[in-house]
Amino acid sequence: MIQIHTAKGEKASYFNEREHQICLMARLIEDGKTYWVAGGGSPMASILLAKKLYAPNAVYVTEDGVLAPEPVLPFDPIMTMVSSRAGYRALQWGTMNSIGFHAQMGYMDYGILNTLQVDPYGNINSTLLGDYESGEFRRFGGPGGADSIASLCWRTILMTDHQKRKFVPRVDFISSPGFLDGSEGARERAGLPRGTGPYLVLTPWALFDYEDRYLRLIGISPFVTLEQVLAEMSFRPKMADQLLTLETPTEEELTLLRTEIDPRGQVTITGDIGRWIMRREDGSFGPADEVEARGGDPNLPRSW
Amino acid sequence: MIQIHTAKGEKASYFNEREHQICLMARLIEDGKTYWVAGGGSPMASILLAKKLYAPNAVYVTEDGVLAPEPVLPFDPIMTMVSSRAGYRALQWGTMNSIGFHAQMGYMDYGILNTLQVDPYGNINSTLLGDYESGEFRRFGGPGGADSIASLCWRTILMTDHQKRKFVPRVDFISSPGFLDGSEGARERAGLPRGTGPYLVLTPWALFDYEDRYLRLIGISPFVTLEQVLAEMSFRPKMADQLLTLETPTEEELTLLRTEIDPRGQVTITGDIGRWIMRREDGSFGPADEVEARGGDPNLPRSW
Amino acid sequence: MARELEVLAEGQGEYHRVDPDGFREWVRDHKQRAMVPKLMSAKEAVERFVQDGDYIVYECNYIQRGPAALIREIIRQGKKDLWVGAKFTWVDVALLVEAGCASKLDVGFFLFGPVVDRAVKEGRVKIYEYSNVVMTNRIKAGAMGLPFIPVRSFGGTDGFKYSGAKLIKDPYTGQPITIVPALNPDVALIHVHQADIYGNARVFGTGISDVESALASRKVIISTEEIVDTEEIRNNPGITAIPYYCVDAVVHLPFGAYPGEMAGRYASDVEHVVEVVGATMRGFVRQYLDKWVYSAQDHFEMLDKLVGWRKLQEMVQRATIKEGYLP
Amino acid sequence: MARELEVLAEGQGEYHRVDPDGFREWVRDHKQRAMVPKLMSAKEAVERFVQDGDYIVYECNYIQRGPAALIREIIRQGKKDLWVGAKFTWVDVALLVEAGCASKLDVGFFLFGPVVDRAVKEGRVKIYEYSNVVMTNRIKAGAMGLPFIPVRSFGGTDGFKYSGAKLIKDPYTGQPITIVPALNPDVALIHVHQADIYGNARVFGTGISDVESALASRKVIISTEEIVDTEEIRNNPGITAIPYYCVDAVVHLPFGAYPGEMAGRYASDVEHVVEVVGATMRGFVRQYLDKWVYSAQDHFEMLDKLVGWRKLQEMVQRATIKEGYLP
């Protein structure tokens, strides 16, 4: 059973879907475990928030081999990795090779990733949309460290947007391995370490785990309906017997996120952050237009 | 053609065969090249002497990954490696793995080794005398770093005593590879790097190189005859057309060796150091008994 | 004997030639084992040690401690047909492609955009698929003098198909395992905090695979913020990252990582970085190159004319974190 | 597919089980990923983390920075059937064999003598043949999470025949290449200059394969000259050699390398070392153990009763070389 930390204090009245997703992810972080966090962005924001509120003894490492830093926040506008602020007061500075080998030896409990596309077996595409062989595609940057994170950590957690084009029956390109064709032992037959694989997928609308290596819906956000969730997927997931309701952010979470972790809004304002949501006094939800500005700098690119 | 540095200054009147061998080896050190030196003992004494007199830009590394130290002499009584005196003012401290990989990549020009036994193909035994399978043997410590030095350096130089039991038609155990069965390409067929192998063997009495991967006598010391040299070998080496005469030590060489490099005599007094030799005014040689004491401590074990 | 050892699957991608014995011979014949001074200008280093068609590696360029000035010099000199080990790279691939310098990429990760997209679609650039860690593992294998190395990742991906990887039956466990070809690049470009004139170099902070790249590459160009005396190197042998004998050129390039950060010394030029990321994402790379690379004869002229002392000074002042970045 | 990949030759030696997936599961189930204090006595550490039959590694014992006090504790506790990774070892193998602790040796190198000779001939000790570097390469492979690693040495030797090595046809070059099984020891014993109570450890100077051994081993006991605060570790992350999460026990053992040297802190006790080398070479190991190991209840009693403050102080004063051994 998935453990979710309980958020304390007042619920926030206004938030956007990205903020909601990050706060949820923070509540899913298990204390005292190791996390290999891909790049920066939402995964990094989530672990930082978790360490402040729910999992002070969670340990994270970055692709460039920084072990358990106490970073100076906010990060530099572009650089969430490699920079001196990101690596500040780590326990050890290693390299991509050294951290990769640590993960290869089983030292990393969880990996947290972003992705372009995911399929029912948790395979991840960050390479291209279209057809590789014919050359008819839109290309992206490649797996980066995601392939290793998805291969070597014990459990892979995916953060993605809840869109039909992201949840596809078959990813256009397996950049990083999920359960591959979904058959038992498929990962092991491909040379990957035994007992690893996809664990959760979290979108702003829904939380999934896997049953027999197939995506299963286990929770939805209170501001969407089950119909909406399923309508924005190109395949039908398995369904848990009981669906969790995913709690919306608290004021405390959002304050930390907006003032300490991402004050420039490079994760939570710039780019595709979903809708703004209003939480009414009675606990119901509605759309909110153009909520009070948070001072994000529109000239800054999205964090990576 | 082998290059031998010319020793300058007055020839020494009294020396022992070990001292003679070390001074000869020092004159064989090529300036500006890298040497991987096994353990301590004669190979280490030779490179240290060479750097003082003949090859100031020769670079040596040790098994524990010390690159180009400026050691504090003399070494500690037991420790020629790993210790702080041995690693002093190196350019880099690595590990046995790192230096092994450097050698594996071709960065080490020469290796210098001691051995128990050598055969006509330059195979080296430091494991046992006797028969491995039957258990009828006297066991020694094993190859240590010698196998890697003999495998990975471009050219292997062996220092050993001139004794019938050391020069054998077939070593009892190949601890470190020479030319194996002597056939062309035998090393490469065994997975060893192309173009490597035995280069010289130096005893207190004689110098050998290889012709078509078979040991060839190319020089003898002036205090022994060719007959003596051949009588103390269990096989007949090839013979060079002209035999070099191996010059005996100079006063300067011996002074450095005795006062700076090995003042306790752990390499040049303790253990099997061969005979003491007297060089007469007329340049002829004779035996010398119990020459003036050099102050070696008989309680100290031989250096390794 | 000759027991079978099955190859279960093989990628079909072209890969840089695996030749550990040839690499050893290169080392023997070209690397200086004596300590000889190697100080030279960026122009001379790139002219002498980067040839058209070379496989080049570098990392974190325009981010932190990247060899930014050396990459700009390669662009100025119009090198052609470079094969880029594009692991942990960023905007620089687009710069090299727009400048016509690169024609093959082993990916990794980099910041895509219209320029590279067009070049790939027009066949001017070929891509082979790996991941960042698989690439650094390949370089690690190269830095160990090996022909290949096993990895526990990458299996089952589509990237595998377009790579040089193979899936074999492990002769020890009997289980399937992926092996990848070692990578011995032709050229490594590495920016460091301190080096002596022989190439003994110190690096402070994390990195990706700098040390491995230095050891694994046939030609190694070090650019350094500061030249230190060899006596200083000898005072602390434990912090020497790169030994002199794998280095071919030492270039003294203060602010050589500009516009990226140099941890402990200067912060990044945020405006510049935002500009180049924008140019990459929107396809205005030519304009960026005209403004920042071709307009200056060298790194020093660029700093003088286009950046200025005031900006550099401000970058230095913003580098307030020193812990761990000083010898 | 299923192309053939020939195995050209195989050694016939027993080797420690190759099981990278099993090692991963051990790590997951036994290694603490949270920072928990691990400070304990040598007695407790050896009782808890060294079992009869374990494969143990350590290095440079009685030479420099060796885990001498931990080895003596193993002897005191009378552990049995240890399999020793005897690379860059010295007198300690004879001590372990005389004490009845060791029954298998992967060699490497060590100081032979009558005690081990007799044990081998009587079948009480089995020897498998490697070399120092092949052994450290095996541990390196273990520390990379791999089942095997290629090596360019060891081929053609007789040692190969009595080892776990194999000669295969390299699928990339077509040439023969030796592969050796990765080594994941059960126990690593490592003496360090500084560690915090969680196991984050600093080592100054050269070593053989300490860091690799720490990563590769199922159980890791660190003994340290000095306990430092974690804040101190965080002030210089670049010099952390061993991260806490592979460490199981931290034992504060000042003079823990005695009678060997601890570079930068104390010189060796030459008399003691001469005594133990003599005992090893002449076969008087039992007498040595009676005098120096069994006669004292623990390391501190040995220092107090048999060494004394004056001698320790003198060893400290002789350690005049400090360069590179301080943070």
Side-chain angles (χ1 to χ4, degrees):
Chain A
M1 191 54 204
I2 307 296
Q3 294 295 317
I4 308 183
H5 300 285
T6 307
K8 281 159 293 187
E10 204 184 341
K11 295 271 185 187
S13 309
Y14 294 98
F15 55 90
N16 66 44
E17 292 184 333
R18 177 73 65 234
E19 291 172 330
H20 172 62
Q21 182 188 28
I22 290 169
C23 296
L24 279 173
M25 185 63 237
R27 285 182 237 131
L28 286 162
I29 298 292
E30 192 179 348
D31 203 19
K33 297 294 181 181
T34 40
Y35 286 79
W36 194 1
V37 181
S42 305
M44 180 65 78
S46 303
I47 190 96
L48 292 173
L49 183 58
K51 282 185 67 68
K52 287 181 185 294
L53 289 178
Y54 306 115
N57 303 308
V59 168
Y60 77 89
V61 301
T62 60
E63 288 181 45
D64 54 320
V66 173
L67 168 61
E70 294 177 348
V72 181
L73 297 176
F75 291 124
D76 285 336
I78 304 294
M79 292 166 292
T80 48
M81 274 191 292
V82 188
S83 71
S84 56
R85 294 174 79 90
Y88 189 57
R89 295 179 60 69
L91 292 175
Q92 186 179 35
W93 287 334
T95 65
M96 174 158 267
N97 271 328
S98 68
I99 208 68
F101 294 133
H102 292 196
Q104 199 153 266
M105 302 187 72
Y107 282 102
M108 293 302 133
D109 293 304
Y110 292 94
I112 316 183
L113 296 172
N114 267 326
T115 188
L116 276 179
Q117 272 189 333
V118 61
D119 68 19
Y121 309 111
N123 297 305
I124 297 166
N125 177 13
S126 46
T127 301
L128 56 84
L129 297 174
D131 180 55
Y132 197 90
E133 290 291 342
S134 71
E136 294 296 309
F137 56 74
R138 188 173 161 219
R139 172 91 204 192
F140 295 87
D147 163 55
S148 307
I149 293 174
S151 297
L152 304 175
C153 297
W154 287 101
R155 294 169 159 181
T156 307
I157 300 174
L158 211 58
M159 297 179 78
T160 189
D161 291 336
H162 207 99
Q163 297 169 359
K164 224 175 161 65
R165 62 191 177 93
K166 298 214 170 244
F167 286 85
V168 294
R170 195 190 170 93
V171 292
D172 293 352
F173 192 94
I174 302 180
S175 311
S176 305
F179 290 115
L180 303 175
D181 66 4
S183 66
E184 197 172 347
R187 284 174 66 93
E188 289 79 359
R189 284 193 299 278
L192 303 176
R194 184 168 68 209
T196 55
Y199 180 63
L200 296 176
V201 176
L202 177 66
T203 77
W205 291 8
L207 177 64
F208 304 83
D209 66 1
Y210 291 84
E211 186 182 57
D212 295 334
R213 299 168 298 284
Y214 197 97
L215 203 69
R216 176 175 73 167
L217 181 65
I218 60 172
I220 64 174
S221 295
F223 50 82
V224 287
T225 62
L226 178 58
E227 291 64 38
Q228 283 177 294
V229 165
L230 296 177
E232 280 291 346
M233 297 176 71
S234 299
F235 62 89
R236 197 178 163 84
K238 295 187 183 185
M239 303 286 289
D241 295 338
Q242 271 204 313
L243 290 182
L244 299 168
T245 298
L246 304 173
E247 296 291 331
T248 56
T250 64
E251 288 292 351
E252 185 185 25
E253 288 172 335
L254 285 188
T255 301
L256 283 171
L257 191 56
R258 293 173 180 178
T259 62
E260 294 189 25
I261 296 169
D262 187 34
R264 294 188 212 91
Q266 288 180 278
V267 179
T268 55
I269 293 188
T270 313
D272 188 4
I273 53 158
R275 303 169 303 173
W276 282 89
I277 308 280
M278 180 172 66
R279 183 180 185 280
R280 303 193 189 90
E281 297 270 320
D282 64 358
S284 69
F285 295 90
D289 353 271
E290 235 24 68
V291 197
E292 60 265 59
R294 282 185 37 210
D297 178 348
N299 293 318
L300 289 176
R302 212 174 139 61
S303 177
W304 63 295
Chain B
M1 192 52 205
I2 308 296
Q3 296 293 317
I4 308 184
H5 300 286
T6 307
K8 280 159 293 185
E10 204 185 337
K11 293 271 184 189
S13 309
Y14 293 99
F15 55 90
N16 66 43
E17 291 184 335
R18 178 73 66 234
E19 290 173 331
H20 172 62
Q21 182 188 28
I22 290 169
C23 295
L24 278 173
M25 186 63 238
R27 286 183 237 129
L28 285 162
I29 299 292
E30 191 178 349
D31 203 19
K33 297 293 182 183
T34 39
Y35 286 79
W36 194 359
V37 180
S42 305
M44 180 64 79
S46 304
I47 190 98
L48 292 174
L49 184 58
K51 282 185 67 68
K52 288 183 184 290
L53 289 177
Y54 307 116
N57 303 308
V59 168
Y60 77 89
V61 301
T62 58
E63 287 182 45
D64 54 321
V66 173
L67 169 59
E70 293 176 349
V72 181
L73 297 175
F75 291 123
D76 285 335
I78 305 292
M79 295 166 289
T80 48
M81 274 190 293
V82 188
S83 71
S84 57
R85 294 174 80 89
Y88 190 56
R89 294 178 61 70
L91 291 175
Q92 187 178 35
W93 287 333
T95 65
M96 173 157 268
N97 271 328
S98 70
I99 209 67
F101 293 134
H102 292 196
Q104 200 153 264
M105 302 187 72
Y107 281 103
M108 293 302 133
D109 293 305
Y110 292 94
I112 315 183
L113 296 173
N114 267 327
T115 189
L116 276 181
Q117 274 190 332
V118 60
D119 68 19
Y121 309 112
N123 298 306
I124 296 167
N125 177 13
S126 45
T127 300
L128 56 86
L129 296 175
D131 180 53
Y132 196 91
E133 289 292 341
S134 71
E136 294 295 310
F137 56 74
R138 187 173 162 219
R139 173 88 203 195
F140 295 86
D147 164 54
S148 306
I149 293 175
S151 297
L152 304 175
C153 296
W154 287 102
R155 293 168 161 183
T156 307
I157 299 173
L158 212 56
M159 297 178 78
T160 189
D161 292 336
H162 206 98
Q163 297 168 359
K164 225 176 161 65
R165 63 190 178 93
K166 297 212 172 246
F167 285 86
V168 293
R170 195 190 171 91
V171 291
D172 293 350
F173 193 93
I174 301 181
S175 312
S176 305
F179 290 116
L180 301 175
D181 66 3
S183 66
E184 198 172 345
R187 284 175 67 92
E188 289 78 358
R189 283 193 300 279
L192 302 176
R194 185 168 67 210
T196 54
Y199 180 61
L200 295 177
V201 176
L202 177 66
T203 77
W205 291 7
L207 178 64
F208 304 83
D209 68 359
Y210 292 83
E211 186 183 56
D212 294 335
R213 299 167 300 284
Y214 197 98
L215 202 70
R216 177 174 73 167
L217 181 65
I218 60 173
I220 63 174
S221 294
F223 50 82
V224 287
T225 63
L226 178 57
E227 289 66 35
Q228 284 177 294
V229 165
L230 296 178
E232 280 291 347
M233 297 176 71
S234 300
F235 62 89
R236 196 177 162 85
K238 294 188 184 186
M239 304 287 290
D241 296 339
Q242 272 204 313
L243 290 182
L244 299 168
T245 298
L246 304 172
E247 297 289 333
T248 56
T250 64
E251 289 291 355
E252 186 185 23
E253 288 172 337
L254 285 188
T255 301
L256 283 171
L257 191 55
R258 293 173 179 176
T259 62
E260 293 189 24
I261 296 169
D262 187 34
R264 293 188 212 92
Q266 288 179 278
V267 179
T268 56
I269 291 187
T270 312
D272 187 5
I273 55 160
R275 303 169 301 173
W276 282 90
I277 308 282
M278 179 174 65
R279 184 183 185 277
R280 305 194 187 89
E281 296 269 322
D282 65 358
S284 69
F285 295 89
D289 354 87
E290 235 25 67
V291 195
E292 61 266 59
R294 281 184 38 211
D297 178 348
N299 292 318
L300 291 176
R302 212 173 138 61
S303 177
W304 62 294
Chain C
M1 170 74 48
R3 206 162 56 80
E4 279 175 41
L5 210 174
E6 286 171 76
V7 176
L8 306 167
E10 292 185 293
Q12 300 305 318
E14 180 188 359
Y15 52 86
H16 191 55
R17 188 168 167 227
V18 173
D19 182 15
D21 278 339
F23 183 85
R24 285 178 55 91
E25 285 158 7
W26 175 276
V27 166
R28 183 189 59 193
D29 299 339
H30 293 86
K31 297 276 188 185
Q32 295 280 356
R33 265 87 73 215
M35 302 257 281
V36 294
K38 294 160 189 161
L39 209 53
M40 62 188 80
S41 68
K43 184 162 181 290
E44 183 184 355
V46 171
E47 275 172 2
R48 283 178 56 188
F49 296 111
V50 184
Q51 269 80 50
D52 291 352
D54 275 354
Y55 192 117
I56 68 167
V57 289
Y58 57 87
E59 55 204 27
C60 295
N61 198 24
Y62 276 42
I63 303 174
Q64 200 271 121
R65 204 171 47 72
L70 292 176
I71 295 279
R72 286 188 293 263
E73 181 60 26
I74 285 176
I75 292 172
R76 264 185 222 106
Q77 291 190 22
K79 300 291 179 183
K80 300 275 177 243
D81 284 325
L82 300 178
W83 189 340
V84 181
K87 50 102 183 65
F88 226 102
T89 45
W90 198 28
V91 296
D92 33 73
V93 173
L95 307 189
L96 288 167
V97 166
E98 176 65 44
C101 301
S103 63
K104 292 178 184 174
L105 310 173
D106 281 351
V107 179
F109 177 82
F110 62 97
L111 210 60
F112 229 79
V115 165
V116 184
D117 196 52
R118 206 178 313 123
V120 170
K121 287 193 173 128
E122 292 172 11
R124 285 181 283 122
V125 169
K126 279 193 183 173
I127 295 189
Y128 309 100
E129 309 289 347
Y130 296 92
S131 73
N132 282 345
V133 175
V134 169
M135 285 299 292
T136 60
N137 277 200
R138 291 182 62 199
I139 295 170
K140 179 81 185 168
M144 295 162 108
L146 302 178
F148 64 85
I149 193 167
V151 297
R152 302 299 310 276
S153 57
F154 203 46
T157 66
D158 285 322
F160 180 100
K161 302 175 193 166
Y162 306 100
S163 76
K166 298 178 197 290
L167 186 73
I168 66 166
K169 196 167 151 187
D170 171 5
Y172 287 97
T173 64
Q175 299 301 308
I177 188 157
T178 301
I179 60 174
V180 292
L183 179 55
N184 288 109
D186 294 304
V187 182
L189 309 172
I190 302 168
H191 189 62
V192 305
H193 289 82
Q194 298 180 320
D196 71 9
I197 59 171
Y198 308 107
N200 294 296
R202 290 171 170 177
V203 168
F204 300 96
T206 58
I208 305 305
S209 60
D210 273 337
V211 174
E212 297 91 319
S213 297
L215 286 164
S217 298
R218 292 189 175 217
K219 297 171 287 185
V220 175
I221 304 176
I222 298 280
S223 60
T224 180
E225 291 292 327
E226 182 184 0
I227 298 286
V228 296
D229 200 276
T230 303
E231 293 303 296
E232 167 68 15
I233 298 287
R234 289 192 184 276
N235 277 336
N236 202 346
I239 62 169
T240 308
I242 297 171
Y244 76 94
Y245 52 44
C246 59
V247 175
D248 295 280
V250 178
V251 185
H252 187 197
L253 288 175
F255 294 97
Y258 177 89
E261 180 188 11
M262 188 77 190
R265 302 217 171 206
Y266 48 87
S268 63
D269 180 348
V270 175
E271 269 176 48
H272 187 134
V273 171
V274 169
E275 180 180 342
V276 73
V277 170
T280 301
M281 299 306 285
R282 289 183 221 113
F284 302 134
V285 179
R286 174 59 48 177
Q287 292 86 323
Y288 173 82
L289 293 178
D290 285 339
K291 176 176 168 189
W292 286 101
V293 183
Y294 297 126
S295 69
Q297 190 184 293
D298 62 16
H299 179 64
F300 299 105
E301 191 176 300
M302 183 201 75
L303 292 182
D304 236 12
K305 274 181 28 182
L306 301 171
V307 184
W309 177 83
R310 190 185 300 264
K311 163 72 83 173
L312 296 175
Q313 190 55 27
E314 179 261 331
M315 288 164 60
V316 168
Q317 280 163 5
R318 274 193 293 118
T320 50
I321 296 175
K322 304 293 182 190
E323 291 93 331
Y325 298 110
L326 298 170
Chain D
M1 169 74 52
R3 206 163 54 80
E4 281 175 41
L5 210 174
E6 287 171 75
V7 176
L8 306 167
E10 291 186 293
Q12 299 306 318
E14 182 189 358
Y15 52 87
H16 192 55
R17 187 168 170 226
V18 173
D19 180 16
D21 278 341
F23 183 85
R24 287 177 53 91
E25 285 159 7
W26 176 277
V27 165
R28 182 190 59 194
D29 299 338
H30 294 85
K31 298 274 188 185
Q32 294 281 359
R33 266 88 74 215
M35 303 258 281
V36 293
K38 294 159 190 162
L39 210 52
M40 62 188 80
S41 68
K43 183 161 181 290
E44 183 184 355
V46 170
E47 275 174 1
R48 285 178 56 188
F49 297 111
V50 183
Q51 269 79 48
D52 291 351
D54 275 354
Y55 192 117
I56 68 166
V57 289
Y58 57 86
E59 55 205 25
C60 295
N61 198 25
Y62 278 41
I63 304 175
Q64 200 270 122
R65 202 169 48 71
L70 292 177
I71 295 278
R72 286 188 294 262
E73 181 60 26
I74 285 177
I75 292 171
R76 262 185 225 108
Q77 292 190 21
K79 299 293 180 181
K80 300 274 175 245
D81 284 325
L82 300 178
W83 188 341
V84 181
K87 50 102 182 64
F88 226 103
T89 44
W90 196 28
V91 295
D92 32 75
V93 174
L95 307 189
L96 288 167
V97 167
E98 176 64 43
C101 302
S103 63
K104 293 178 183 175
L105 310 173
D106 281 351
V107 179
F109 176 83
F110 61 96
L111 210 60
F112 229 79
V115 166
V116 185
D117 196 50
R118 205 176 317 122
V120 170
K121 287 193 174 126
E122 293 173 11
R124 284 180 286 120
V125 168
K126 279 193 181 173
I127 295 190
Y128 309 100
E129 309 288 346
Y130 296 93
S131 73
N132 282 345
V133 174
V134 168
M135 285 298 293
T136 60
N137 277 200
R138 291 182 63 200
I139 296 170
K140 179 80 184 168
M144 296 160 109
L146 302 178
F148 65 86
I149 193 168
V151 297
R152 303 300 308 278
S153 56
F154 203 46
T157 65
D158 284 323
F160 180 99
K161 300 176 194 166
Y162 306 100
S163 77
K166 299 177 195 289
L167 186 73
I168 66 166
K169 195 166 150 188
D170 171 7
Y172 287 97
T173 65
Q175 300 300 309
I177 188 157
T178 300
I179 60 174
V180 293
L183 179 56
N184 288 109
D186 294 304
V187 182
L189 308 173
I190 303 169
H191 189 62
V192 305
H193 288 82
Q194 299 180 319
D196 69 11
I197 59 170
Y198 308 106
N200 294 295
R202 289 172 171 176
V203 169
F204 299 97
T206 57
I208 304 304
S209 60
D210 274 336
V211 174
E212 296 91 320
S213 297
L215 286 164
S217 298
R218 291 189 177 217
K219 297 172 286 186
V220 175
I221 304 176
I222 298 279
S223 60
T224 180
E225 290 292 326
E226 183 184 359
I227 298 286
V228 297
D229 201 276
T230 303
E231 293 303 296
E232 167 67 16
I233 299 285
R234 289 191 184 277
N235 276 337
N236 202 346
I239 62 170
T240 308
I242 298 171
Y244 75 94
Y245 51 46
C246 58
V247 175
D248 295 279
V250 177
V251 185
H252 187 199
L253 288 175
F255 293 98
Y258 177 89
E261 180 188 11
M262 189 75 192
R265 301 215 171 207
Y266 48 88
S268 63
D269 180 348
V270 175
E271 270 176 48
H272 187 136
V273 170
V274 168
E275 180 181 343
V276 73
V277 170
T280 302
M281 298 306 286
R282 289 183 222 117
F284 302 134
V285 178
R286 174 59 49 176
Q287 291 86 324
Y288 173 83
L289 293 178
D290 285 339
K291 175 175 169 191
W292 285 101
V293 183
Y294 297 127
S295 68
Q297 190 183 295
D298 62 15
H299 177 64
F300 298 105
E301 191 177 299
M302 183 201 75
L303 291 182
D304 236 12
K305 275 182 23 183
L306 301 172
V307 185
W309 176 82
R310 192 186 299 265
K311 163 72 85 173
L312 296 175
Q313 190 55 27
E314 180 261 331
M315 288 165 60
V316 168
Q317 279 164 8
R318 275 192 291 118
T320 51
I321 297 175
K322 304 292 183 191
E323 292 94 329
Y325 298 110
L326 299 169

